[in-house]
Amino acid sequence: MNPVTYPAGIALALGLTAGGYWSSRKVVGFLLKRRRDLRLLQRQREIMGGFAQDLGEALEQGGEANADQIISRVLACAQHAVRGGGALMLLCGEDEILQARSVAGIFPPLEQDINEATFAQTPGKVQFLRDNALSLAVPLGEGLIGEIGFHGQSVLITAGEADPRLPQYENEFLQIRSLIAVPMRFRNREIGVLLVVNPIDGSPFRAADVELLQLLADEASLSIHYARTRESIEEKRRMDQEFKVAERIQNSLLPRSFPEMDVLEAATFSQAAQQVGGDYVDVIKVDEDHLGLAIADVSGKGIGGAIMMSICRTILRAHAPGNPHPAPVLCEVNRMMTEDMSEDMFVTMIYMVLNVRTLQLRVSRAGHEPVLLWRAGEKCTLLEPGGLAVGMADTKTFEGLIKEQSVDLSPGDLLMVYTDGVTESMNENGEEWGREKFIETVANRRLEPLEKMMDNIKEEILSFAGQMAQYDDMTVLGLRMKSPGDARSSTL
Amino acid sequence: MRECSIEQIEQDGFDVLRINGSLDSFSFPKLEDALAKLRETERHRVILDCSGLNYISSVALGALIGFSRRARENGGDLLLAQLSPKVFNIIELLGFNRILAIHETREQAVQAFAS
């Protein structure tokens, strides 16, 4: 006789003699439930044992299983544990959105967005359902899944066709008849949701199935959390590597220091909006009598923009020597860059050539902010020759539009060239610093030593912007013509 | 991150897209979708009513020029109408007023297409 039913037999006898068919029924009921519980416990042990073994294998393979491998095994286990027709796991990202990560079996849609007629015609229905399930993304707190992920309460649906939380479809493939959803938790934080649907024997899921699934989810959450942590560390390491490369590119775009020059002193400051800046500043020797000065700004941000700027720099440095006029040099840069550049990217640039003997300055402007000039004792004037940004038009159009403006400079004259991140710098009230403010700031510090002036200007911009993150790189190049007393022996 | 909304209307048989708000790399996809739909149905002559446009970023501007170029390749054009002084200044600084077709009013843009 079965050890569980043996006492039942005795109890029954006792119950009958004790008096009351009804009490015996209670006793038998109790014992039968115990047997079910025991079977459930045994089953749970089998499942967990199987899962633990599975996981162990997964972890052994290749040293460390990645999150994907663990997740698919968990899902297979979950589906098998409660004999579901399909299973789905969603994990929560940093953006607080639950993203579908893995699907097993046949998982019908959770939203009312499938066209039944179209679906009926689809040849690969299982694949369609898989793709549909994997595209699911739910913000934490929204809808059935979002709420589970948010409140941490499991859900059991036994009559899907009558439940308003689920979509209703005619096609059997698309129907959810029964559903269990359990939250996945790690240290009291929700990290995801695990769902199983449609038991293969057609009967609805039971409360015991929910318990089992929760147990599994709790076990799995730990492993998955650690696997994901490992993944993000790897990702971070890879990104750091990329940024090191980008840093090297950026460092070549901005001069660390300027060579000692007879006739002018130069100082610059730059602040990138993202990790990689795309602003470019350069001083190039054109010939014994001429010095080229450039500032440029690329329209695309990040590494892509920096690479484009790097190419621009190479082309400029190749064509600058021997050309005392800036406009033809810019035409060459435009010609070569229009071929290489992505259709929508462009570069704005100021390129000037200074004759160090006569102090004549020739300025060409390719769509860039104007050059600001303060002559001794005078107010600021703008040097704004016509032109077009580089990389946007064919050679003929560009050549037709680019102009050159000449000015004769004197010792003590001050020039500022900058990128629009400076004047478009925004504070928390949405106000821009603006060109007028910039001019005023420089005018107030007109007589300060150049380096000090640049530091002070930088201070002012940063304190204006406050905590507000900037969208654009900002760069300023300050140039001051030396007075005769400043000149040293020729090092140009 | 800046917002924008696109309103599609018809004026005298021409497609007009009215833009409200700011165009930058985040909000540009909306305009991109609207323009792509028009292109798919072979409607290459589009007027952008920019009276409600208060800002456009370099990236969005570059993309807009790309669209205008494609429209011209298909025998049409992308006309910008009623730019605010601020937005016009941005475009003029870059020299793009020489490669984009800009008109003072929507009516003038319609006339430009009609002739």
Side-chain angles (χ1 to χ4, degrees), chain B:
Chain B
M1 241 182 272
R2 318 201 212 203
E3 300 285 312
C4 96
S5 67
I6 316 281
E7 206 187 307
Q8 191 163 343
I9 31 192
E10 226 196 78
Q11 182 155 338
D12 301 333
F14 295 106
D15 294 295
V16 178
L17 294 177
R18 188 154 191 277
I19 308 175
N20 275 313
S22 305
L23 278 177
D24 66 3
S25 35
F26 292 106
S27 55
F28 194 81
K30 263 196 205 149
L31 179 59
E32 208 161 21
D33 284 340
L35 288 169
K37 278 203 183 82
L38 288 172
R39 197 173 61 237
E40 272 163 34
T41 52
E42 301 293 326
R43 278 132 83 181
H44 301 294
R45 302 166 110 194
V46 181
I47 296 171
L48 289 187
D49 180 333
C50 302
S51 47
L53 181 67
N54 55 38
Y55 171 80
I56 184 164
S57 77
S58 322
V59 178
L61 207 40
L64 211 62
I65 292 176
F67 269 105
S68 113
R69 197 175 291 146
R70 275 193 288 281
R72 286 176 195 167
E73 280 165 16
N74 286 305
D77 205 347
L78 190 67
L79 306 185
L80 303 186
Q82 285 179 247
L83 293 166
S84 70
K86 180 174 171 205
V87 174
F88 182 76
N89 280 342
I90 294 173
I91 293 179
E92 193 192 35
L93 186 75
L94 291 161
F96 290 164
N97 53 325
R98 306 301 207 106
I99 52 179
L100 284 168
I102 296 178
H103 297 271
E104 289 266 343
T105 66
R106 214 198 268 184
E107 286 65 39
Q108 285 176 356
V110 168
Q111 264 181 16
F113 266 149
S115 56

Side-chain angles (χ1 to χ4, degrees), chain A residues 251-482:
Chain A
N251 286 340
S252 68
L253 292 176
L254 298 166
R256 281 188 202 284
S257 63
F258 292 102
E260 187 67 37
M261 295 173 286
D262 259 359
V263 297
L264 87 144
E265 53 174 330
T268 182
F269 77 78
S270 187
Q271 179 137 316
Q274 292 178 15
Q275 212 144 338
V276 194
D279 282 352
Y280 163 51
V281 168
D282 215 348
V283 176
I284 306 169
K285 182 174 174 182
V286 172
D287 59 33
E288 287 308 316
D289 299 328
H290 293 90
L291 195 64
L293 303 146
I295 190 168
D297 182 359
V298 62
S299 71
K301 300 284 153 245
I303 296 181
I307 290 177
M308 270 306 132
M309 192 53 98
S310 200
I311 294 174
C312 182
R313 170 181 176 270
T314 308
I315 301 171
L316 180 69
R317 287 188 142 248
H319 289 280
N323 270 308
H325 286 275
V329 178
L330 286 181
C331 287
E332 264 316 295
V333 175
N334 178 72
R335 194 175 65 80
M336 299 191 77
M337 290 218 75
T338 325
E339 286 162 22
D340 267 337
M341 201 134 54
S342 106
E343 191 182 68
D344 300 344
M345 238 195 249
F346 56 86
V347 171
T348 67
M349 186 173 345
I350 293 266
Y351 181 52
M352 320 186 275
V353 179
L354 174 71
N355 184 319
V356 300
R357 313 286 170 217
T358 67
L359 297 192
Q360 186 196 48
L361 183 74
R362 294 178 184 135
V363 181
S364 272
R365 186 182 70 89
H368 200 89
E369 297 276 319
V371 179
L372 306 176
L373 166 65
W374 284 263
R375 292 189 197 277
E378 283 174 35
K379 278 175 48 174
C380 179
T381 52
L382 269 51
L383 303 177
E384 205 170 3
L388 172 67
V390 166
M392 265 303 166
D394 55 85
T395 313
K396 194 154 159 282
T397 311
F398 188 89
E399 276 175 16
L401 290 170
I402 194 84
K403 302 277 177 279
E404 214 172 83
Q405 181 176 1
S406 287
V407 287
D408 291 315
L409 298 176
S410 316
D413 286 351
L414 176 70
L415 294 132
M416 287 279 161
V417 277
Y418 60 98
T419 59
D420 61 8
V422 170
T423 47
E424 288 179 7
S425 169
M426 208 177 274
N427 68 5
E428 277 143 352
N429 300 329
E431 297 161 337
E432 281 186 359
W433 200 47
R435 196 191 290 166
E436 290 310 315
K437 201 90 190 40
F438 183 32
I439 292 176
E440 198 190 303
T441 306
V442 175
N444 287 343
R445 303 181 176 289
R446 216 16 251 282
L447 303 170
E448 282 177 11
L450 194 62
E451 290 274 359
K452 189 151 183 289
M453 187 198 304
M454 299 298 279
D455 283 340
N456 286 331
I457 296 171
K458 183 179 182 179
E459 260 310 307
E460 283 226 25
I461 301 175
L462 294 181
S463 80
F464 170 81
Q467 293 299 335
M468 196 68 180
Q470 298 305 306
Y471 285 109
D472 204 354
D473 304 332
M474 49 176 106
T475 304
V476 180
L477 169 66
L479 303 157
R480 186 189 260 136
M481 310 309 294
K482 285 181 175 171

